[in-house]
Amino acid sequence: MPPWKLHGNGRTVEPGAVVRPDERLNWPATIAIGLQHVVAMFGATFLVPIITGFPVATTLLFSGVGTILFLLVTRNKLPSYLGSSFAFIAPVTAATASANMGTALAGIVAVGVLLAIIGVVVHTVGVKWVDRFLPPVLAGTIVALIGFNLAGAAHNNYAAAPVTATFTLAITILFAVVFRGFLGRISIFLGVIAGYIFAAFRGELNFEAVEKADWVGLPTFTFPNFTEPGTLTALAMFLPVVLVLIAENVGHVRGVATMTGDGTVNEQTGKALIADGVSTTLAGFFGGSGTTTYGENIGVMASTRVYSTAAYWVAGAAAILLSLSPKFGEVINSVPAGVLGGVTTALYGLIGVIGIKIWVDNRVDFSRPVNQYTAAVALIMSVGGFMIKDEASGFELGGIVIATVAAILIYHVGNLIARARKTGADDPKPLEAVGPLGGDPA
């Protein structure tokens, strides 16, 4: 028996109907939709490696492998593309600056292993404990502080070529405002293309590496270093990312369940966390960026009403094939700093806004002091780059770690005190679907 049933006549989706995960259209239509998913994920997926210095082809390879692995673990019941997560940018940037890429990869592996373990726990006991530990006020704060912490990195790239950066930023915003639907969701990708062409006219591109690269070849593999001095500090910087990935995956599952009208999809939450954890671990072991579920692809499903996992098998296979061209990877690596400065000024800010959107969507009550201080203290620590550093031992904790710990302590300790004083502290509401950091920032 084939893994997917043919939907209707195989060519169209009836009014009011959806193509369920266990269904598909005919193969030409399925392939076309799968390639559309590749286009949708591409802008965000390639930005992470060129910002962090990771090999683009390697990251693309393991996003494709991770997507197929995700489909296998969830037994074709949960459609998703696993692309590069923006939540890793800040800790990777900090780790490579203070140590090297091997240390950063060790952090990615640690996140993946921990996420997979949490997935096993969720699959065994359920997801309700996640709602209590990571309520909307905390989830929104952690997402927001990661985005705003990157403001300095965006400024550095912007300052490298302010004219190109300004043009790229302006055209990105214009695309987002003018276009609707799919084109609006890939405005950052379109902004990069426009900025790239503008930079070419200004003579800011360097094609030397592109000319030397082969058309076909294996990606570059780099391996984690767990013995490098300072690795323990680096691992601490990566731990907040686990909380973001939990929020993204839980939100993704609930979003698909809502859009398909199939509540049984929620039963895949634990498996989704396991799959993303294993995918991130695998990517980290070989030099790729950590992965997450993608909001851009949720947008494609919403617009086409096709939730078939068959389309994601096509997308995963296409990403793997693209990764086998070193020349293609070098073209992506040739994106100049000014273009990155323009798009990251928008992108990092939008990551912060996603956190705020979580508060708004879940109607977080900011009349409560504990909620006020949870967000206020953490955001200032993140934006201000607070740091704990011991010169003698080299131990260091950056703003993201300190801010995340502060947010968790303020919220949970504050609520314990409130309950002890019988002030009627509210139970946290379930976390609603949120746009993944590696996905739809808009």
Side-chain angles (χ1 to χ4, degrees), residues 15-367:
V18 298
V19 179
R20 292 165 50 88
D22 61 347
E23 298 178 324
R24 65 169 176 85
L25 297 177
N26 60 36
W27 281 114
T30 297
I31 291 171
I33 292 171
L35 295 179
Q36 188 176 5
H37 280 300
V38 173
V39 174
M41 69 81 185
F42 192 76
T45 291
F46 85 77
L47 271 178
V48 175
I50 64 175
I51 290 170
T52 58
F54 280 20
V56 173
T58 311
T59 295
L60 197 56
L61 170 65
F62 285 102
S63 76
V65 170
T67 297
I68 291 174
L69 178 66
F70 187 96
L71 296 171
L72 288 171
V73 172
T74 58
R75 301 179 65 184
N76 279 325
K77 294 180 180 180
L78 181 62
S80 178
Y81 189 89
L82 292 190
S84 308
S85 171
F86 283 102
F88 285 96
I89 293 177
V92 165
T93 301
T96 51
S98 61
N100 52 45
M101 185 178 291
T103 299
L105 292 173
I108 292 174
V109 170
V111 169
V113 171
L114 182 55
L115 184 64
I117 292 172
I118 293 172
V120 172
V121 174
V122 170
H123 184 65
T124 304
V125 304
V127 76
K128 287 187 177 180
W129 69 272
V130 174
D131 295 331
R132 290 194 167 275
F133 180 74
L134 193 64
V137 63
L138 266 182
T141 298
I142 293 170
V143 171
L145 68 85
I146 288 177
F148 294 146
N149 181 261
L150 293 165
H155 173 266
N156 292 339
N157 279 324
Y158 204 104
V163 174
T164 298
T166 301
F167 173 84
T168 304
L169 175 60
I171 206 73
T172 299
I173 295 171
L174 184 65
F175 284 146
V177 172
V178 171
F179 292 132
R180 293 289 181 270
F182 176 68
L183 289 178
R185 283 191 292 273
I186 63 169
S187 59
I188 290 177
F189 178 51
L190 297 176
V192 170
I193 294 175
Y196 192 90
I197 295 171
F198 185 79
F201 279 112
R202 290 178 56 82
E204 296 174 355
L205 301 186
N206 184 350
F207 283 106
E208 185 176 342
V210 177
E211 294 170 355
K212 293 179 179 179
D214 295 328
W215 281 102
V216 178
L218 289 174
T220 302
F221 297 123
T222 309
F223 303 99
N225 187 340
F226 295 96
T227 60
E228 183 77 17
T231 296
L232 184 61
T233 298
L235 295 183
M237 290 189 294
F238 281 83
L239 292 182
V241 177
V242 176
L243 301 178
V244 177
L245 296 183
I246 291 172
E248 290 173 350
N249 278 275
V250 172
H252 178 85
V253 174
R254 288 178 175 166
V256 172
T258 299
M259 290 186 291
T260 60
D262 184 1
T264 63
V265 170
N266 287 317
E267 298 172 3
Q268 300 299 314
T269 301
K271 289 184 178 180
L273 293 170
I274 294 170
D276 193 9
V278 174
S279 172
T280 294
T281 302
L282 188 63
F285 260 119
F286 292 97
S289 299
T291 59
T292 189
T293 51
Y294 256 26
E296 282 91 338
N297 300 94
I298 281 278
V300 172
M301 290 190 290
S303 62
T304 62
R305 291 178 292 138
V306 176
Y307 299 88
S308 172
T309 53
Y312 284 98
W313 279 89
V314 173
I320 292 172
L321 289 175
L322 283 175
S323 74
L324 299 179
S325 174
K327 191 174 289 290
F328 173 78
E330 289 300 337
V331 169
I332 303 303
N333 277 330
S334 68
V335 176
V339 176
L340 292 179
V343 295
T344 54
T345 296
L347 183 61
Y348 296 161
L350 286 172
I351 293 172
V353 170
I354 288 174
I356 296 171
K357 186 175 183 294
I358 294 173
W359 297 337
V360 174
D361 289 348
N362 292 276
R363 299 180 181 180
V364 173
D365 183 4
F366 278 109
S367 67

